Amino acid sequence: MSVAIRLAGCGRTWPGGSIALHPLDLDIAAGETLVLLGPSGCGKTTLLRLIAGLEAPDAGGRVFFDGEDVTRLPIERRHVGMVFQSYALFPNMDVAGNIGYGLRVRGVARAAARRRVDEMLAMMRLDGLGGRRIEALSGGQRQRVALARAIAPRPRVLLLDEPLSALDARLREQLRQEIDALLRSLGITAVYVTHDQAEAMALGDRIAAMEKGRIAQIGTGRDLYHRPANDFVAGFVGDTNRLATPEGERLVRPEHLALRRSATGGFTVVQATFLGPVVRVLLRDAAGRELRADVPDEDVPAPGERVAVLFQGRSLETEAAASPA
Amino acid sequence: MRRGIGFWTGLGFTLLISAFLILPVLASVIAGVTANQFVGLSSGLTTRWLVEVWANYGGTVLLSLRIALATLAVTLLIGIPAAYVLARHAGVTARLVEEALVMPVAVPGIATALGLILAYGAVGDLRASWLFILAGHVVFCLPFMLRSVLAVLLALDLKGLEEAARACGASWPQRFLGVVLPNVSGGVLAGSLMVVTLSLGEFNMTLLLHTPFTRTLPVGLADAYTALRTEMASAYTLIFFVLIVPLLSAMQWAASRAERLGR
Amino acid sequence: MPDRLRAALLIAPALAVFLAFFLVPLGQLAVAGGAGGYTTILTEPRYWRSLASTLLVAAGTTAITLAIATAVGLFLARTRFPGRGTLLALLTLPLAFPGVVVGYLVIMLAGRQGLVANISLALGGDRIVFAYSLSGLLLGYVYFSIPRTLLTVMAAAEKLDPRLEEAARSLGASSFGVLRDVLLPGLAPALTAAGAICFATATGAFGTAFALASRIDVLPMVIYTEFTLQANLAVAAALSFLLGLATWAVLALARGASGGAAA
């Protein structure tokens, strides 16, 4: 029962006149997971709240769920599920009370609601915690309760606003995998907001990279990584070097560079830092330009040594250079 | 750990101040049940004064209770919605309204009371009705209910909770009754205790607002202090303490509970 | 229903009460004084004398209460010992005692049959009686103000960063140095706020003065006398309005100075 979402000419201007979101068109296919990726203040949360119905678009903007115009429908009647950054679990209710809330307010019969809550508790591996108070839960458990609460009423669309940002790194990784599996098994249309590119890559069928209230590029993770539309996307999705070549300026990923010791090489090693999987080498040329290269931890040149920098294999191209238009 | 001289000095001073606050209360309580205060406790204990005071002034106690409960009902009814609006709106208008609503606390009761008499003293039978006193008490007590509830609302992630409830499909009445109210119960309780306590003890306004037909407990007390013998005045005060001390203790309990939950 | 309309409807009852029972009466009060009322109070020396004694008592109350509450509050906030909770409960019990009852407690303490009189008599001295004077009033206001001020000071003291004190000590500061350079500056906003409330209360309250029932000539008593005994409505209104304006201004200024900590 997942739906396709279409936004037409949706922008959002704050009462003070500052623009949170420039008018944009966006199509999200039924069952697709779209990640909105960008730094804070880029408009990703505003876009999510427009889809949710927590914000109304500026005049002229339209939101459609499967062709139905829901622009004037407030969130409580859009039948969406939403997971908030702060979880916003109700402190006056226990775990089961939170998960069943969406069923209760919609008047689902008591027995059916209880069955659905039990189902959600099992699905989220929260068995036996139904009577637990919210403040007695760990961060990861709260996250699961928030997800269960959003999913329990079988929403048409699932919206997630930085759901993992309050968790520590290891838990984040684990829950990311769980959410990924969950979204695939439910086949629900989902919009997921994050500022973490690893999260975006792992979860998104497509990623919309956002900058200053606009979508800078939308495509698969591979598209954004290998063919970034502009400097912003290249810089935000992965690390990047700007390299002058005879063919013009190029954006090159550090892991795509290789080093060879050479007395006539153009670069000097400034610093080599062991990062675990790779060694990050900072290089500088005679003109003072800096370059970062990630190389395997084998026979790494030491600071002060002169090296030549190769970009073998695939080198990075900007979208503009690659596309005929 | 051995306590230094600083500790004992501090403790001594604190005990002295406690004695200053508590001894007069004890003295008054004892005087209220002593047969003859001039002779002292050796004259024996008696409930005679309490009975006599109740016979003469019982009406003031009942009227004060009625006014306090009515004040509570009105401040709950208009204070909680107002606090909710003030918590949900960050703008200048909301801050001005908040500023206005708490203003009556900053103005001496006698001034407000005089104003009320000037404005409404000649309107129908209002002047002779207990509702006239109620109006004054509501104006004076509303800020305490407002602040108490507002403090709890502002400590909550109110906007987030409401949005979450909306996302679950809850209409405004559903989320106000099911999510907002249950989560401010601590503030409502603290505010209610404060309002009842203040209304029961309100004197600055009530002395001007009352008539011979609408004499409240504190007004009766003031009368007793000037006109009656010490034992009667003390017995009357004792009745007041019996009403007010449980409320104050409950207030202390509510405050420590709020502090525990806030951590 | 649009959010704005709902907000307006929810806050309307509170605003209506405020307008009808506070703003309109205060407006009436302001004009009832008339040119005559304001001229009289500005030209007659006895109102000025009354103002002077009111301010004197209020300033004294504030200074003494702050000193006591700071000493006791710092002691209680920074030490733990058996019985501390009980002591704190006793010290804050009179939190909402009405002024008129506090006046009676002052009589129990320092009146003709009071504890002080009996003790001084038993020790072979004269009967010491000072309840029915400005000192008695001062004592009552201090009694009245200690619980609330103490709570404010303790709340602020518990929020002070203990590392500041440790840093000062590590730099060689003496106990007095720590108090002067770390603790008092840290408490300053809370003290300003609490002091303003003491001052405003002592300026505007009159239950205590009424219970002590003698020739204590503070402003609220003068207003009461002018209104009830001399039916001098213009003067009573003018005095009330200026008094209200003054206490409100003191609290507003203090709140500005203390960053919103004052009530």
Side-chain angles (χ1 to χ4, degrees):
Chain A
M1 101 153 230
S2 59
V3 299
I5 302 169
R6 190 157 73 80
L7 273 66
C10 281
R12 183 74 177 108
T13 310
W14 297 134
S18 64
I19 294 171
L21 197 66
H22 293 278
L24 57 77
D25 300 326
L26 179 65
D27 275 291
I28 306 169
E32 182 187 20
T33 301
L34 176 72
V35 173
L36 305 177
L37 173 69
S40 63
C42 70
K44 58 188 191 299
T45 296
T46 306
L47 181 51
L48 186 80
R49 291 169 65 86
L50 281 178
I51 299 172
L54 285 169
E55 302 279 350
D58 294 340
R62 286 271 173 278
V63 182
F64 299 92
F65 283 7
D66 263 355
E68 175 199 353
D69 186 343
V70 296
T71 314
R72 304 194 61 88
L73 221 51
I75 182 169
E76 53 265 38
R77 284 160 53 203
R78 278 194 197 186
H79 205 46
V80 297
M82 188 154 178
V83 178
F84 294 81
Q85 186 172 6
S86 61
Y87 312 145
L89 297 174
F90 308 128
N92 57 313
M93 302 174 199
D94 60 12
V95 168
N98 268 276
I99 297 176
Y101 184 75
L103 303 166
R104 279 206 309 285
V105 297
R106 290 192 170 92
V108 173
R110 187 178 292 218
R114 182 167 324 133
R115 267 200 310 281
R116 179 66 176 158
V117 169
D118 288 341
E119 205 178 304
M120 295 314 301
L121 286 170
M123 187 199 277
M124 291 295 162
R125 299 192 290 112
L126 291 164
D127 313 70
L129 295 183
R132 191 71 70 86
R133 290 193 64 77
I134 298 305
E135 62 255 43
L137 298 179
S138 70
Q141 288 169 334
R142 286 177 199 210
Q143 224 297 316
R144 290 201 188 93
V145 174
L147 257 172
R149 181 178 67 181
I151 296 168
R154 304 180 204 277
R156 296 194 283 183
V157 172
L158 186 60
L159 305 167
L160 305 102
D161 188 5
E162 307 222 17
L164 302 180
S165 63
L167 300 172
D168 61 50
R170 182 180 301 189
L171 202 54
R172 202 151 61 212
E173 170 95 29
Q174 185 197 335
L175 275 159
R176 192 177 77 196
Q177 288 166 7
E178 290 183 22
I179 292 178
D180 190 32
L182 184 75
L183 292 179
R184 305 219 171 275
S185 72
L186 292 173
I188 191 173
T189 315
V191 184
Y192 187 109
V193 163
T194 181
H195 62 264
D196 181 322
Q197 54 137 330
E199 232 168 275
M201 294 281 180
L203 285 167
D205 293 323
R206 284 191 303 158
I207 299 171
M210 296 190 63
E211 181 196 15
K212 293 180 187 151
R214 290 193 169 87
I215 293 180
Q217 185 176 6
I218 185 163
T220 64
R222 283 197 171 75
D223 288 341
L224 267 65
Y225 193 78
H226 293 305
R227 288 178 294 282
N230 59 25
D231 285 6
F232 167 77
V233 176
F236 199 76
V237 182
D239 208 344
T240 191
N241 289 301
R242 193 185 291 268
L243 210 59
T245 66
E247 300 93 64
E249 191 171 71
R250 286 188 159 197
L251 298 171
V252 181
R253 302 289 184 191
E255 67 271 26
H256 295 150
L257 295 176
L259 307 178
R260 202 186 61 213
R261 285 198 181 76
S262 159
T264 58
F267 287 87
T268 309
V269 175
V270 178
Q271 195 182 46
T273 312
F274 177 65
L275 297 179
V278 294
V279 177
R280 161 70 51 102
V281 183
L282 182 62
L283 305 149
R284 193 175 287 146
D285 72 358
R289 277 173 303 204
E290 290 192 339
L291 210 59
R292 282 154 297 165
D294 290 345
V295 299
D297 187 22
E298 295 156 4
D299 192 23
V300 179
E305 285 192 79
R306 290 186 75 81
V307 293
V309 178
L310 312 169
F311 34 100
Q312 20 159 251
R314 196 164 33 182
S315 63
L316 197 73
E317 295 168 330
T318 65
E319 196 94 286
S323 63
Chain B
M1 194 180 80
R2 249 184 75 82
R3 313 275 196 185
I5 182 146
F7 172 79
W8 296 111
T9 319
L11 184 63
F13 185 67
T14 304
L15 285 172
L16 186 72
I17 297 301
S18 310
F20 165 54
L21 295 182
I22 294 308
L23 283 183
V25 176
L26 291 180
S28 156
V29 168
I30 291 169
V33 291
T34 304
N36 185 332
Q37 209 243 341
F38 194 75
V39 177
L41 268 180
S42 56
S43 63
L45 297 179
T46 176
T47 55
R48 179 185 152 208
W49 310 120
L50 285 168
V51 172
E52 229 170 279
V53 164
W54 186 261
N56 288 317
Y57 290 94
T60 66
V61 177
L62 297 179
L63 177 65
S64 272
L65 283 172
R66 187 204 300 176
I67 292 175
L69 291 178
T71 305
L72 175 62
V74 178
T75 51
L76 282 173
L77 227 50
I78 69 177
I80 297 175
Y84 167 79
V85 172
L86 294 176
R88 280 307 307 267
H89 291 83
V92 181
T93 320
R95 295 291 75 79
L96 283 177
V97 169
E98 184 182 340
E99 203 53 24
L101 289 179
V102 301
M103 228 175 114
V105 172
V107 171
I110 191 166
T112 315
L114 203 52
L116 277 168
I117 291 172
L118 289 170
Y120 303 109
V123 177
D125 290 335
L126 192 58
R127 184 77 181 84
S129 159
W130 66 282
L131 295 172
F132 197 53
I133 300 177
L134 178 64
H137 284 207
V138 166
V139 162
F140 176 68
C141 293
L142 183 61
F144 294 91
M145 179 63 79
L146 199 65
R147 276 211 210 113
S148 186
V149 177
L150 194 56
V152 177
L153 281 172
L154 292 178
L156 280 177
D157 173 20
L158 180 63
K159 183 161 173 276
L161 289 177
E162 272 207 78
E163 286 184 351
R166 291 181 67 188
C168 289
S171 63
W172 186 81
Q174 281 175 325
R175 58 183 190 264
F176 187 77
L177 297 175
V179 174
V180 178
L181 272 189
N183 284 309
V184 295
S185 55
V188 172
L189 176 68
S192 301
L193 290 168
M194 193 72 193
V195 164
V196 172
T197 308
L198 287 174
S199 171
L200 280 179
E202 212 302 316
F203 177 79
N204 292 338
M205 272 184 187
T206 318
L207 184 68
L208 285 194
L209 296 181
H210 88 281
T211 63
F213 312 103
T214 56
R215 211 158 50 147
T216 66
L217 209 174
V219 173
L221 276 174
D223 182 47
Y225 293 157
T226 49
L228 302 182
R229 54 185 298 173
T230 310
E231 293 87 341
M232 292 272 283
S234 291
Y236 200 178
T237 310
L238 178 56
I239 293 176
F240 177 71
F241 282 146
V242 168
L243 286 177
I244 208 94
V245 169
L247 284 167
L248 288 166
S249 305
M251 236 148 69
Q252 288 178 343
W253 170 81
S256 68
R257 175 172 164 272
E259 197 175 318
R260 269 204 317 280
L261 291 179
R263 275 185 188 153
Chain C
M1 190 186 303
D3 284 358
R4 289 192 154 275
L5 178 61
R6 177 160 57 225
L9 285 177
L10 287 173
I11 205 158
L15 270 180
V17 164
F18 169 76
L19 284 177
F21 299 128
F22 186 75
L23 213 55
V24 168
L26 234 60
Q28 296 266 344
L29 199 61
V31 295
Y38 291 100
T39 317
T40 313
I41 60 173
L42 289 178
T43 48
E44 274 206 35
R46 68 190 185 95
Y47 297 120
W48 287 99
R49 276 199 301 277
S50 153
L51 177 69
S53 45
T54 307
L55 294 180
L56 194 70
V57 172
T61 302
T62 309
I64 296 170
T65 306
L66 285 183
I68 291 175
T70 307
V72 174
L74 279 177
F75 173 75
L76 285 176
R78 294 148 55 85
T79 44
R80 292 290 180 275
F81 54 90
R84 175 182 172 275
T86 314
L87 212 50
L88 186 59
L90 289 180
L91 283 163
T92 53
L93 187 70
L95 184 64
F97 280 8
V100 65
V101 171
V102 171
Y104 185 63
L105 295 177
V106 169
I107 295 176
M108 295 309 285
L109 193 69
R112 275 179 283 275
Q113 295 289 322
L115 292 168
V116 173
N118 287 332
I119 291 171
S120 63
L121 210 57
L123 293 177
D126 288 335
R127 189 182 280 272
I128 300 178
V129 175
F130 58 92
Y132 315 97
S133 63
L134 273 186
S135 339
L137 190 63
L138 186 69
L139 197 69
Y141 287 162
V142 169
Y143 185 104
F144 188 85
S145 303
I146 282 177
R148 195 218 287 254
T149 313
L150 183 66
L151 284 177
T152 314
V153 170
M154 283 185 66
E158 269 155 21
K159 281 198 202 107
L160 285 184
D161 185 351
R163 279 168 301 187
L164 286 179
E165 188 183 339
E166 286 161 13
R169 286 199 190 283
S170 77
L171 295 168
S174 64
S175 294
F176 177 72
V178 169
L179 181 67
R180 185 196 53 202
D181 299 331
V182 178
L183 297 179
L184 289 183
L187 293 178
L191 291 179
T192 311
I197 296 173
C198 283
F199 192 87
T201 316
T203 311
F206 86 126
T208 310
F210 193 84
L212 295 177
S214 52
R215 300 150 306 279
I216 300 174
D217 198 18
V218 289
L219 271 182
M221 282 298 277
V222 173
I223 295 172
Y224 181 73
T225 318
E226 294 289 344
F227 176 66
T228 50
L229 301 183
Q230 320 200 350
N232 195 345
L233 199 59
V235 166
L239 279 174
S240 300
F241 186 73
L242 291 182
L243 182 67
L245 213 59
T247 53
W248 178 77
V250 166
L251 287 171
L253 279 178
R255 183 157 38 174
S258 65

